[in-house]
Amino acid sequence: MILNRAERMLARRYLLPGKGEGFIFLVASISLVAVALGVAALIIVMSVMNGFRADLFDKIVGLNGHAIINGYDGRLADWEQIADQARKTPGITEATPLIEQPLMASSNGRVEGVLVRGLRMEDIRGNATMNSNVVAGDMKSITPGSNRIAIGSRLAQTLGVYPGMEISLISPEGRSTVVGTVPRIVSYTIGAVFEVGVYDYDKAFVIMPMQDAQDLLMLGDLVGMIEVQTTDPDKVDEILAPLQRVITGKAVIVDWRQMNSALFQALEIERVAMFVVLSLIVLVAVFNILSSLIMLVRAKTRDIAILRTMGASRRGMMKVFVTVGVTIGSLGIILGIVLGAIFLFFRQAVVSAIQTLTGANLWDPSVRFLTELPSRTDPFEVGAIIFIALILSFLATLYPAYKAASTDPVQVLRYE
């Protein structure tokens, strides 16, 4: 929309408060702030929701892979052949054999349920999710036959242990006696404590070399499952389809969506619902723009009539008031982007300040899975938010602009 010099001058004049127009200016300022708050709220909430999903996905996949080929009864026969076939399948980047078994852990008179995971040494050393988040001890101390293990930080706190201390793992697969099966109890030394940021994992995981896990669970040379990484987690079904013939009767494939289906579906529904609900804030804000422009048109009726008698066109008057409204909306959008960026940058400090003032734990990791408030801003979503706010601001200007353009100068000046 191109304005001539006179129309630009009028638009600037109507954006600034004139004599006796302080209330109109106040309403317009409130409209600008309302648009800013609506845009900021949308950007903040959508960024946090995206960050929560992305961080949760990265950490879950970092430990569980995109899919698991799970052997029946926790034992996978011919696992070498299956792993080799998986690595040759297009779209699969890694196929990692592992052992995973829920057991009991005991130390200092405390007992907790744990999830023992046995990995090859190269997989333990190459797992960035664990190795980059070691809070105590050294992952290099964990070697086959060393009797050393790594545990999650929350489990270490619950059992009251730290590197150098011992814990006992209790396996129901023990030896048979005349009085029944006696559980197998093996003591291990804590070599490292890690914290990946997912509460359920930090509270349960026990990592050890695969040979030690096979000895503990009396599996011989067998493994329990194969962890698979793919090039595209969203197409994991298509990528793994050729493997179905190989594992038929031996194992079952469970992908990341099946393992965490309820969680990720709930996140997606909540994300869409929050976008719709918070969009209503922007809608309410543009109604303020509508009301301020209607008040401005009413206050400027005589000026509009004079301008019309001097040769101003209806189209020109419409452009002036549309420009005023869109300018208010645009300034609000810019302010909202700035507010949203500032909040997201200092988000953890804001959460800490609110917790200090209220005394409430707003980010309990046992409830929210992650230990910090995440954020990941999607440029396409920000663009969509800006576009929606601009369109709504433009639509809010049409009725006041039409009323201004349809002003009859004869009727107005006759009674002025």
Side-chain angles (χ1 to χ4, degrees), residues 61 225 258 359 368 396:
V61 169
M225 59 187 69
Q258 294 169 321
R368 295 173 176 83

Side-chain angles (χ1 to χ4, degrees), residues 286-287 289-291 293 391-401:
V286 300
F287 273 110
I289 296 177
L290 173 65
S291 61
L293 286 179
I391 290 298
L392 290 176
S393 299
F394 172 74
L395 293 176
T397 65
L398 295 181
Y399 176 73

Side-chain angles (χ1 to χ4, degrees), residues 90 123 139 153 158 183 188 210 227 316 341 347 369 378 395 404 414-415:
D123 298 323
M139 293 293 289
S153 59
T158 303
Y188 294 90
M210 183 177 290
E227 177 186 285
R347 62 187 183 280
F369 293 97
D378 185 349
L395 293 176
R414 176 181 297 173
Y415 299 104

Side-chain angles (χ1 to χ4, degrees), residues 118-415:
L119 297 168
R120 297 177 304 177
M121 287 310 303
E122 57 266 34
D123 298 323
I124 293 177
R125 298 284 184 263
N127 192 303
T129 304
M130 288 190 300
N131 286 276
S132 61
N133 294 285
V134 176
V135 295
D138 188 355
M139 293 293 289
K140 294 180 180 179
S141 67
I142 301 168
T143 56
S146 66
N147 220 37
R148 289 179 176 270
I149 58 175
I151 66 174
S153 59
R154 303 286 172 177
L155 178 60
Q157 292 175 10
T158 303
L159 294 177
V161 296
Y162 50 84
M165 294 186 66
E166 289 191 351
I167 67 171
S168 298
L169 296 180
I170 306 169
S171 171
E173 296 289 338
R175 65 180 186 277
S176 298
T177 67
V178 293
V179 295
T181 302
V182 177
R184 180 177 172 81
I185 303 176
V186 181
S187 295
Y188 294 90
T189 302
I190 306 297
V193 176
F194 60 86
E195 181 174 342
V196 299
V198 180
Y199 182 84
D200 287 355
Y201 293 166
D202 292 335
K203 193 176 186 298
F205 264 30
V206 173
I207 306 298
M208 64 173 60
M210 183 177 290
Q211 296 92 322
D212 294 350
Q214 288 171 333
D215 292 341
L216 172 64
L217 300 172
M218 297 184 296
L219 292 176
D221 293 331
L222 297 179
V223 301
M225 59 187 69
I226 296 175
E227 177 186 285
V228 176
Q229 298 278 3
T230 65
T231 54
D232 187 351
D234 292 324
K235 297 181 179 179
V236 66
D237 290 339
E238 301 174 18
I239 294 172
L240 295 177
L243 279 179
Q244 290 289 351
R245 298 187 301 273
V246 178
I247 66 168
T248 300
K250 302 176 183 178
V252 61
I253 296 178
V254 182
D255 63 41
W256 65 271
R257 286 174 294 196
Q258 294 169 321
M259 289 186 282
N260 308 277
S261 60
L263 175 61
F264 284 103
Q265 284 179 10
L267 285 175
E268 189 63 28
I269 293 171
E270 184 178 3
R271 181 170 167 270
V272 174
M274 292 298 291
F275 185 87
V276 173
V277 170
L278 291 174
S279 296
L280 296 178
I281 298 177
V282 179
L283 184 61
V284 171
V286 300
F287 273 110
N288 288 333
I289 296 177
L290 173 65
S291 61
S292 64
L293 286 179
I294 290 174
M295 293 172 63
L296 181 62
V297 170
R298 293 290 297 174
K300 298 295 184 180
T301 299
R302 186 170 181 275
D303 294 352
I304 294 170
I306 294 173
L307 289 170
R308 292 280 288 115
T309 59
M310 294 174 64
S313 65
R314 293 178 182 270
R315 179 181 176 83
M317 297 311 301
M318 279 198 71
K319 288 195 293 183
V320 167
F321 284 94
V322 168
T323 301
V324 171
V326 171
T327 301
I328 294 173
S330 300
L331 292 175
I333 291 169
I334 294 171
L335 180 59
I337 294 172
V338 173
L339 290 176
I342 292 173
F343 183 93
L344 291 174
F345 185 81
F346 295 104
R347 62 187 183 280
Q348 201 58 43
V350 172
V351 171
S352 300
I354 295 174
Q355 289 183 153
T356 302
L357 291 174
T358 61
N361 187 0
L362 301 179
W363 197 251
D364 183 358
S366 64
V367 178
R368 295 173 176 83
F369 293 97
L370 303 179
T371 53
E372 291 185 352
L373 182 66
S375 171
R376 184 170 296 188
T377 303
D378 185 349
F380 293 102
E381 283 188 350
V382 173
I385 292 169
I386 293 172
F387 178 75
I388 290 172
L390 279 175
I391 290 298
L392 290 176
S393 299
F394 172 74
L395 293 176
T397 65
L398 295 181
Y399 176 73
Y402 170 77
K403 294 297 291 183
S406 61
T407 299
D408 187 351
V410 176
Q411 294 295 327
V412 173
L413 296 178
R414 176 181 297 173
Y415 299 104

